[in-house]
Every structure is written in C-alpha cells, then in structure tokens.
Amino acid sequence: MNTRNLCLSAFFASIALLRSVSCADELTPINELLPVAESGRETIEFNEAWRFARFGLMPDGSQLAEPKRLESPLLDDSPWRLLNLPHDWGIEGPFRDDLPNRTGKLPWAGIGWYRKSFSSSESDAGKRVFIEFDGSMSGTTVWLNGEYVGEWPYGYSSFRFELTDHLKPGETNTIAVRLDNKPESSRWYPGGGIYRNVRLVKCHPVHVGHWGVTVTTPKITEENAAVQINTQVEGANDSTEVQHEVRAAASSEVVANKSGANCTIQIDNPKLWDLETPELYVLKTTIIQNGVVVDVVETTFGIRTIEFDADRGFLLNGNLIRMNGVCQHHDLGPLGSAVNTRAIERQIEILQAMGCNAIRTSHNPPAPELLELCDRMGMLVQVEAFDCWKSGKVPNDYSLHFTDWHEKDLRAMVRRDRNHPCVVMWSTGNEIREQNNEAGHAISRRLTEIIHAEDPTRPVTAGCNKPAAGFNGFEKTVDVFGYNYKPHLYQKFRQTHPRQPLYGSETASTVSSRGEYFFPVSNDKSKGSGGWFQVSSYDLSAPPWANNPDIEFAAQDKFPSVFGEFVWTGFDYLGEPTPYNNDATNLLNFSDPQARERMEMELKKLGDNIPPRSSYFGIVDLCGFPKDRFYLYQARWRPQLPMAHILPHWNWPNRVDKVTPVHVYTSGDEAELFLNGNSLGRRKKGEYEYRLRWDDVVYQPGELKVVAYKQGKRWAEATSKTTADAAKIDMSADRSTIEADGQDLSFVRVQVSDNEGLLVPRSDNRIQFAIEGPGEIIAVGNGDATSHQSFQAMDREVFNGLCLVVIRSRKGESGEIKLTAKSEGLQSAQITVKVKKSLK
Ligand code: GAL
C-alpha cells in the first residue's frame, strides 16, 4: 500500500466502498413473531468449577513429574484444586529470590492442567458446539473426552475450538486443558493460567461464523451515515436469510434495519463516537432458515472517522486530537494477570483523570474487556500484536512460533477487534529485531498486508527503536511511523518523509518510586536514586535510552506534526524493575558516593538475588496511586484544569538548613512559592519548560505553599505541610456499593495519617485487616517494587503512607461488607461497602 500523503480514512473508505457487496434494496422489518429454533445460539459462561493442578516446575522451585494421560475422562481429578476462572497461578506466589527480576520473581513458569466435567443435553445432538478462550497463558492444548481438540501457543490471542465431533450429547463430558509456560519466554511478567474468560457456544448448523460480523462506516455526513455490514454465515444455503437491525446503545431505540448478509444500512442523524460522547450502536444480526430464527448475534460499533495527516496530526471526526497516550502491560498489579473488568475500568478512570486519551496495548493483544471499556469510556487504542518476530529477545519467546503462527494470530487479533470504534491503529510489533535488514522488511510488509486484508480502515504501525528504521526502508512497510525514544530524530524524519504520519510510539521511560526522594538532586538522568532499591521521585531519572518527560514534551512542541506520544508506562507493572535489574547498571543510579559504596557492598552480598520485582516506569504505581509525575502529565494534558502540585513531601527532620529543591507541576504558567509564609520567589515557565523549580530552597519544617497563575490571573494553589507523628488509619473506598456478581470490586485506599488527617510521608506501619459480610479480600499491595510480601494476605505494610485492599463480592450474596484496619499505636478504622443484588 502506498503510504504517501495519508489521509487514511478517505483512502480506506474508498477501498471499502469498492469491496461492498450489493444487498437487498427493500427495508425488511425484523419480524419479532418468527418462530425461534430451539437449537439457536446458546452462549454459556464457562468459568466456574474447574479442577486445577500444577506439574513440572513447581512454585517452590522443585520439579513434579507430569503423569501421562491427564486428559483421560477416567482420571479421578477430585483431589485437584477447585477454582473459578479467570485464574493466574503466578500471582499466588511465593516471590522467590532465585527467580528473575524481569519476570516479577514469581513462579508463573511451569505446566498447568485444568479439567472440567459438564453435562451435555440430548438436544445438543445436531448442534455445532465450540469452546472459546479469550486468552490462556500459554501453549494451550485442549482435549474433550480424552480426544485431542486443538492447540494455540500464543498466550495473548483469543481462539476457539470446535467440540462437535467429540461431544457426547446426553452424557457427562470432560474437557481437559494443558498449559505450558516455558521459563525465559517473556521480558515481563506474563502470568500463567486460563487468565481470561472462557465460554461454551452451541449453535444451529446455520449460524454466524466466529467474529463473523464486520461493520465499517465508509461514509459519514452530519445527516447520514452509511454502515456497511459483512456477515459470514456458516452452513448457509438458498433458504438462508440474514436480517440486521441497528439500535442506539444508550436509548435502545431502533434506528434502522435491513436484510442481506452484505449490505449497507443508512442511519439518519448519526451520533458520532467521540472521546467526550462515546456514542455506540448495537447491530442485531438474525439468521433465518426456512422461516425460523436459527441464530442471533449482537455487535457493538461506533460511527466515527479517523484520519492521520502528516502535517496536521490525528483527526477524529475531523477534529485534531493530540494523542496523549500511555503504554500498558496487561497485568493488574496485585491482582496479577487474571482479567477483571472493574480493575481495568479503574485503570482507565485513573488514566483519564490525568488527561490520557490513548492506550497502546504493549506488546500484545489485550483482553476484549479492555476494548469494550475503551469504546464505552472514550479512549483511543492502538492494538499491538507482537514483541518479536523471527528473531527472539529471550530464548523461549514467540520467535519459536512466529513462522507457523503469525498469520493466525494476526488475523485473530484483527477479526476480533475490528468493530471497536476505540481501535484506531494496529501495531505489528515492538522493537522487533529485524528493523535493519531486508528480510525483516519483507516480513513487515507481509504483516501489514495481512492486516490491510482484514481491515482496510485503519493504518498499520510498529514501534521502532533503531534510528535507521526511519530511513532504511522499514518505514515504508508501515502506514504510520512510530519511534521509541527518539525525540531527537523527529525533525530529520519529518524532513525526509514530509508525507508520512509520525508519533512517539514509546516515550520517556522515566523511573521513580512513589514518595521517595534522594539528594543531592541531579539533572543527570542516570543518577538520582540511591535509596534501598528505590528511585527518586524528582522525575529526572531515566535509563540510558530514555528521557525525562520534559524532553519529550519539548520535542513534541517543536514538531507539532508529531501527533502524540505513548508514555512508557501508565501504570507500573510486574517485572522489568529497571534500573534495578540484576545487572551492572545498578550502580549507575547513585549521585551520592557514600550511598553508592553502600549499595556496592549490598550487591556483592546479594549476588544475582536483588529484590525488585516490579517496574519503576509507571506514572501511577502498581496499586493505582499516582506518583508525582501524574501531575506533570495532568498539567500538560488537561491545561484547562486549574491544578498545582508540590514535591517533595515536607518531612525532613535530618535536612534542617540543608538545600532541598522544590518542584511544582501546574497547568498555570507561573507560580510563587512560600515557605512558612515567606515568598521564595515567583517563577515563570520559559519556552519548552514544563515544571517550575526552586532548586535552592533551604529546608525548615512548616508549610510550603504554591500559588499558581495563568496569564497573570490566580489559577490554583497547593500546600505541603510537615506532619505530626502517625496517629490513625484513614480508609476510603473507590466505590461504596458493588454488585453481588462475584466479580465486582471495591478498591480501598488505606492511609496512615497524623491527627489532622495528613498522610505521614515515610510511614511504614503494618496494617492488619479483618472483613465481615458478603465479600472477601482478594489482594493487598502498597506500590513498593521491592516487597516480597504476598499479594494474597490479610495484612500489609504501608509504603510511604499508603496501601491498598481489594475487596470482591460473592456471587448472589448481597448485604454489607465491613472492613476493619488495625495497627499497633494507631487509631483503627472501619469502612462499609454495600453489596447489592446483581442485575446480570
Ligand atoms: C523499551 C521496550 C519496552 C520496555 C521499555 C523500558 O525499549 O519496548 O518493552 O522494555 O523499553 O524502558
């Protein structure tokens, strides 16, 4: 595909129109009175009551031989553990010193078996029956009643297998699933297990195929939208009819209908999907065979245009939008990788509060729930396929499967996700190693081709870290070019390729620990930590390939045709604790020579077993608590929100009379800082400056206050006070009412406060929790990347004043949950979370 002067929506739209298939002209209302076949589609949630056992590498590091024929229906699996999916066996721990830092020091590697017996009714005879996995980590093989059904190696793909030929209608059937997570198969914590949802789907022989409905919106005006529908029907013959009905998701009002497998429906006065008003429509597709309804499928879609323009940037519905994006790994912190809709929703809420409007699903296809939420909440998404192609990054990664599987995985990704309005780009890979050779370019072209064939409406991109990839022809193999950590090359790329859209596919990689500050403060990005495996939160530290946020901001402002950035990362994630991976770069972190010496001795003692197990890259910590940097991004991404934020905290008993720099992040352009009422000067942001700095402040306890101005007018204020000693626990729940569906969560923030209710910055009290009522504590955490305490416990130390408790409802049990928090020497706290009957 020619990528010159891309105006992709228009370009792809014309292709889509050419490909459109003619359809029945007359409007055919759906006849609600048609008989419905008993053998019509039945979708059964298939998550409950699985038996589970581990073999091979065990959590404690020992080996347990895997017996033969574990798929046999005759096996007595009653001694196996009973559990519900989604399940991540890795997060259960324990953390182990001897396991690699980069994959979280958790025992996710090994073999896992899941088995489930279920009864199939006589009426299943003659139906087609499938099992659908949204994702299973990894190397999945499935048997039904002892017979092989299928396999799928990649842990991030969604797939389904047909069970029909092996099913015994009217009898008990046993499904067995074997997973095999090889050590050294990932650069981050992948988790282990059937970690996404599973369904059993029973269909009439004539039915909509897997991901068989495709909706595009090739032509949109204010008055009218053309909605083009392609339906792939399995088992269709001359007596098969296909009818479509579109309703507005919000009001349920039916707005259009039509018949024909492939047709274009006109929607009058379309409500566009936008970031502020993410309007959605639902397409109901009905398959009628000999006058009987045999299948009904619903597809959610949105009406919107996207355009990537080399000069102007990214346009949604014709409006220029800067992509203020973040990269996100798939794990959910203390919950591990087991998918949970509310946990993902909370992440999106926190990111949106910062002004983030885009997520890159680095470096793999996400859970479908993420995209459903982004559709509903108005968040753009770049869906990424792979972290490597043929040439691997770790010995047992996807490179082993690439040749045989890339096409299946790529098609699965696009087919599953192409109806989501939130998805605006596909990425074929991250920092793949073949950027610099012709063979790699050929692979890239092929991947782009596959995606274009499946979806001609969105551009293909890749995240490139090799400077040459922008100039050696690789750039021509993708539609939109993404540079990882190369703000210094934006100008050259733009000059060389005036017509190709460009963005920062991965930016910053600034590292910090929430609430940690080390002195002297250094502008040298390789210095600035120096605590016990923590990194200073002045937001100036970054590994050698990376930058602090301000440098990326400046480059984006100098070259505004760069349409945005995806910061590494929104949330901290499990694994990859740079700069404290177990290598020699550790010592580069120290600006204070004495601290460096202490660390050198510690490292000698520890050898390879250094403790960090989760990242320092997040703008938000592993528990969802914002770090200082959150406010630096908020100041830029939400310029109309009056806000100011001061760092560091102001409890420094050992720094009286010592220079203790104060930095302020504000959406204003100027600010005055006061210490105990005395002005320390009014400062203005210069050109390409994004933070205000008072680097010469001499510490005295008391109150720091900042008054920010915008265009000369008072705009926002913030204070930071020296606190008294820790006196009490304060708790607040993100939601005080949850649903009794066995999935819904309440995230409780637990703070150690002084008598006035101020967070005590360096507190590390251990808090003991007790819970009563219809709920359970499923995780605790505190954002400390070095902690090896279990996430599945009833107590937790606060880390710099905060910890998190995650409460889950029990299915079908409503009432009141009471959570109590106690700690020696502190006033206790109690909080109530209501659980209401679930409507699901
Ligand atoms: C990038 C890579 C990411 C992550 C990041 C850390 O090069 O694409 O996956 O490793 O570095 O800075």
Side-chain angles (χ1 to χ4, degrees):
M1 169 166 296
N2 186 347
T3 58
R4 311 295 95 182
N5 196 13
L6 279 178
C7 175
L8 287 159
S9 62
F11 182 72
F12 287 132
S14 59
I15 296 184
L17 275 177
L18 282 176
R19 298 170 86 227
S20 83
V21 190
S22 67
C23 53
D25 282 324
E26 73 282 10
L27 273 180
T28 318
I30 304 238
N31 188 343
E32 297 284 339
L33 299 176
L34 280 180
V36 177
E38 274 190 17
S39 53
R41 180 180 296 255
E42 217 186 317
T43 301
I44 302 158
E45 194 186 283
F46 213 52
N47 290 326
E48 279 180 23
W50 287 76
R51 293 280 173 187
F52 170 71
R54 282 190 68 162
F55 301 97
L57 251 184
M58 299 300 281
D60 63 2
S62 64
Q63 286 278 348
L64 180 62
E66 180 188 18
K68 293 233 157 48
R69 297 279 302 150
L70 292 177
E71 71 275 17
S72 165
L74 303 176
L75 181 90
D76 175 15
D77 58 20
S78 60
W80 289 19
R81 182 172 150 200
L82 189 64
L83 52 73
N84 295 339
L85 307 178
H87 171 234
D88 171 10
W89 72 60
I91 202 67
E92 293 165 1
F95 288 104
R96 286 210 335 256
D97 279 341
D98 59 316
L99 289 173
N101 305 83
R102 69 164 7 169
T103 52
K105 293 203 157 281
L106 284 164
W108 53 269
I111 294 164
W113 277 84
Y114 294 83
R115 288 170 54 97
K116 180 175 165 74
S117 292
F118 62 101
S119 53
S120 154
S121 63
E122 299 281 0
S123 63
D124 288 343
K127 288 186 190 171
R128 290 186 62 187
V129 180
F130 303 90
I131 185 161
E132 294 185 353
F133 291 84
D134 285 346
S136 170
M137 188 64 70
S138 64
T140 306
T141 312
V142 178
W143 294 262
L144 181 64
N145 300 325
E147 290 169 27
Y148 172 85
V149 165
E151 60 195 293
W152 203 289
Y154 196 28
Y156 296 103
S157 280
S158 293
F159 54 91
R160 81 173 191 183
F161 297 131
E162 179 149 17
L163 304 179
T164 316
D165 290 347
H166 312 282
L167 192 76
K168 295 185 177 152
E171 295 180 31
T172 296
N173 289 259
T174 304
I175 194 138
V177 183
R178 178 185 190 267
L179 308 186
D180 187 357
N181 273 345
K182 302 259 190 280
E184 297 195 274
S185 53
S186 180
R187 291 194 301 116
W188 56 86
Y189 174 78
I194 308 180
Y195 71 112
R196 291 181 184 164
N197 289 300
V198 178
R199 288 168 298 278
L200 201 64
V201 179
K202 302 179 181 176
C203 295
H204 186 277
V206 181
H207 64 273
V208 174
H210 196 207
W211 303 316
V213 178
T214 311
V215 184
T216 54
T217 52
K219 196 158 174 237
I220 302 169
T221 64
E222 241 174 64
E223 295 76 43
N224 203 284
V227 176
Q228 190 191 315
I229 302 162
N230 288 73
T231 318
Q232 183 238 326
V233 185
E234 298 268 323
N237 57 27
D238 288 351
S239 12
T240 311
E241 278 176 70
V242 182
Q243 297 191 344
H244 300 286
E245 180 179 277
V246 177
R247 60 172 199 270
S251 63
S252 293
E253 185 199 346
V254 176
V255 293
N257 56 37
K258 197 151 190 181
S259 59
N262 303 319
C263 64
T264 303
I265 293 189
Q266 302 293 336
I267 295 184
D268 293 336
N269 306 317
K271 292 191 171 145
L272 300 190
W273 185 88
D274 224 316
L275 297 187
E276 286 74 38
T277 51
E279 297 284 350
L280 293 170
Y281 289 88
V282 180
L283 171 72
K284 181 171 157 191
T285 302
T286 305
I287 311 294
I288 300 153
Q289 186 71 17
N290 300 321
V292 177
V293 172
V294 292
D295 198 11
V296 178
V297 164
E298 293 202 331
T299 308
T300 301
F301 70 98
I303 300 174
R304 51 105 178 107
T305 62
I306 54 168
E307 194 178 321
F308 292 82
D309 182 277
D311 296 324
R312 288 178 299 165
F314 170 72
L315 293 99
L316 179 64
N317 301 322
N319 302 314
L320 205 56
I321 291 193
R322 283 204 77 69
M323 279 201 202
N324 300 328
V326 297
C327 300
Q328 287 279 87
H329 269 318
H330 68 306
D331 76 64
L332 296 167
L335 296 171
S337 61
V339 75
N340 178 282
T341 305
R342 172 56 201 158
I344 304 175
E345 182 182 50
R346 172 178 179 255
Q347 288 194 332
I348 300 172
E349 286 168 0
I350 291 169
L351 293 172
Q352 285 186 328
M354 178 168 69
C356 169
N357 62 13
I359 290 175
R360 170 182 178 221
T361 68
S362 45
H363 303 298
N364 43 257
E369 287 78 5
L370 175 88
L371 300 178
E372 283 155 22
L373 287 161
C374 290
D375 279 350
R376 189 157 62 64
M377 296 168 80
M379 179 72 100
L380 305 170
V381 183
Q382 175 190 133
V383 173
E384 187 152 83
F386 308 121
D387 192 44
C388 67
W389 295 345
K390 271 191 186 170
S391 174
K393 295 179 178 173
V394 286
N396 296 317
D397 62 15
Y398 188 72
S399 60
L400 302 180
H401 307 293
F402 183 84
T403 303
D404 294 338
W405 283 88
H406 68 270
E407 183 164 351
K408 287 182 218 118
D409 282 316
L410 213 51
R411 289 194 196 277
M413 173 183 95
V414 181
R415 286 181 189 172
R416 192 196 73 182
D417 295 342
R418 63 190 162 189
N419 295 323
H420 287 281
C422 66
V423 177
V424 294
M425 284 188 266
W426 305 108
S427 165
T428 51
N430 172 60
E431 300 192 350
I432 53 98
R433 299 185 62 189
E434 294 95 330
Q435 292 159 71
N436 280 355
N437 59 62
E438 194 30 58
H441 297 187
I443 299 177
S444 181
R445 265 191 297 276
R446 174 72 190 126
L447 301 183
T448 298
E449 240 169 60
I450 295 172
I451 294 183
H452 283 166
E454 295 292 342
D455 176 16
T457 74
R458 296 176 180 87
V460 173
T461 186
C464 296
N465 62 328
K466 308 248 185 205
F471 311 98
N472 65 10
F474 184 88
E475 78 282 9
K476 300 201 177 80
T477 67
V478 292
D479 303 314
V480 166
F481 189 76
Y483 255 140
N484 286 8
Y485 311 106
K486 303 286 173 291
H488 53 286
L489 291 178
Y490 290 161
Q491 185 174 22
K492 185 173 169 199
F493 185 92
R494 179 49 65 244
Q495 283 166 352
T496 321
H497 305 293
R499 300 241 168 266
Q500 187 166 16
L502 170 68
Y503 70 109
S505 34
E506 214 173 291
T507 61
S509 261
T510 305
V511 279
S512 69
S513 309
R514 176 179 53 75
E516 298 281 333
Y517 305 91
F518 303 109
F519 304 93
V521 173
S522 168
N523 286 327
D524 178 343
K525 68 181 181 185
S526 69
K527 302 206 169 92
S529 52
W532 175 246
F533 295 113
Q534 303 295 354
V535 185
S536 187
S537 190
Y538 274 92
D539 298 329
L540 294 166
S541 308
W545 60 90
N547 292 308
N548 67 46
D550 318 50
I551 288 178
E552 183 65 32
F553 292 165
Q556 299 251 336
D557 285 346
K558 283 180 198 156
F559 307 105
S561 70
V562 177
F563 67 76
E565 63 169 317
F566 288 85
V567 180
W568 191 263
T569 47
F571 274 61
D572 269 328
Y573 52 94
L574 293 163
E576 215 183 17
T578 309
Y580 295 113
N581 279 308
N582 50 348
D583 60 28
T585 56
N586 277 312
L587 291 176
L588 296 177
N589 295 311
F590 293 84
S591 46
D592 173 353
Q594 278 172 2
R596 184 187 159 110
E597 208 172 292
R598 269 202 314 278
M599 178 55 92
E600 204 167 351
M601 280 163 57
E602 273 313 320
L603 285 174
K604 271 200 192 117
K605 262 195 271 159
L606 289 165
D608 274 353
N609 297 338
I610 66 166
R613 47 65 170 164
S614 55
S615 75
Y616 300 83
F617 291 117
I619 301 172
V620 176
D621 80 9
L622 199 70
C623 289
F625 302 132
K627 300 184 192 169
D628 290 305
R629 199 148 73 256
F630 179 93
Y631 301 97
L632 182 57
Y633 285 101
Q634 190 182 56
R636 178 175 172 83
W637 290 351
R638 295 184 67 185
Q640 302 312 325
L641 178 78
M643 52 76 60
H645 174 80
I646 299 179
L647 65 105
H649 63 73
W650 214 236
N651 277 32
W652 298 104
N654 299 329
R655 298 194 65 76
V656 176
D657 294 332
K658 289 189 188 156
V659 170
T660 306
V662 174
H663 293 190
V664 168
Y665 302 151
T666 174
S667 49
D669 45 33
E670 197 178 349
E672 185 166 13
L673 184 69
F674 300 88
L675 176 54
N676 296 328
N678 302 318
S679 174
L680 300 181
R682 187 160 162 161
R683 308 236 155 124
K684 208 176 166 86
K685 288 181 193 165
E687 200 183 14
Y688 306 124
E689 267 178 19
Y690 304 92
R691 65 175 86 193
L692 293 166
R693 298 174 64 148
W694 286 260
D695 280 328
D696 45 2
V697 177
V698 175
Y699 179 77
Q700 292 298 331
E703 183 186 84
L704 272 179
K705 175 175 171 178
V706 69
V707 180
Y709 297 84
K710 192 160 187 156
Q711 288 161 352
K713 293 208 183 98
R714 225 177 151 101
W715 177 249
E717 284 187 17
T719 54
S720 177
K721 272 192 195 170
T722 309
T723 73
D725 290 343
K728 58 176 182 172
I729 304 170
D730 282 322
M731 291 203 282
S732 57
D734 69 336
R735 287 187 318 150
S736 50
T737 304
I738 61 175
E739 278 190 40
D741 60 1
Q743 289 297 320
D744 208 0
L745 306 176
S746 184
F747 288 82
V748 182
R749 179 187 191 271
V750 182
Q751 171 177 316
V752 170
S753 308
D754 72 359
N755 272 326
E756 267 188 64
L758 295 174
L759 180 148
V760 179
R762 297 294 288 160
S763 50
D764 58 0
N765 312 59
R766 179 176 285 267
I767 318 277
Q768 186 69 47
F769 300 102
I771 188 164
E772 282 169 45
E776 53 203 333
I777 292 179
I778 57 159
V780 291
N782 63 13
D784 176 0
T786 69
S787 170
H788 285 194
Q789 290 170 37
S790 172
F791 289 129
Q792 301 180 347
M794 293 298 283
D795 64 323
R796 193 68 176 186
E797 280 168 15
V798 295
F799 174 59
N800 292 327
L802 293 176
C803 74
L804 176 77
V805 180
V806 188
I807 295 173
R808 185 173 63 197
S809 63
R810 288 206 205 99
K811 198 167 176 177
E813 291 183 37
S814 45
E816 265 188 11
I817 298 173
K818 279 198 171 55
L819 177 72
T820 311
K822 291 194 172 139
S823 183
E824 214 187 306
L826 299 181
Q827 192 186 316
S828 309
Q830 194 176 66
I831 196 168
T832 305
V833 174
K834 286 205 181 89
V835 187
K836 63 170 194 215
K837 225 169 142 181
S838 173
L839 300 173
K840 283 173 216 152

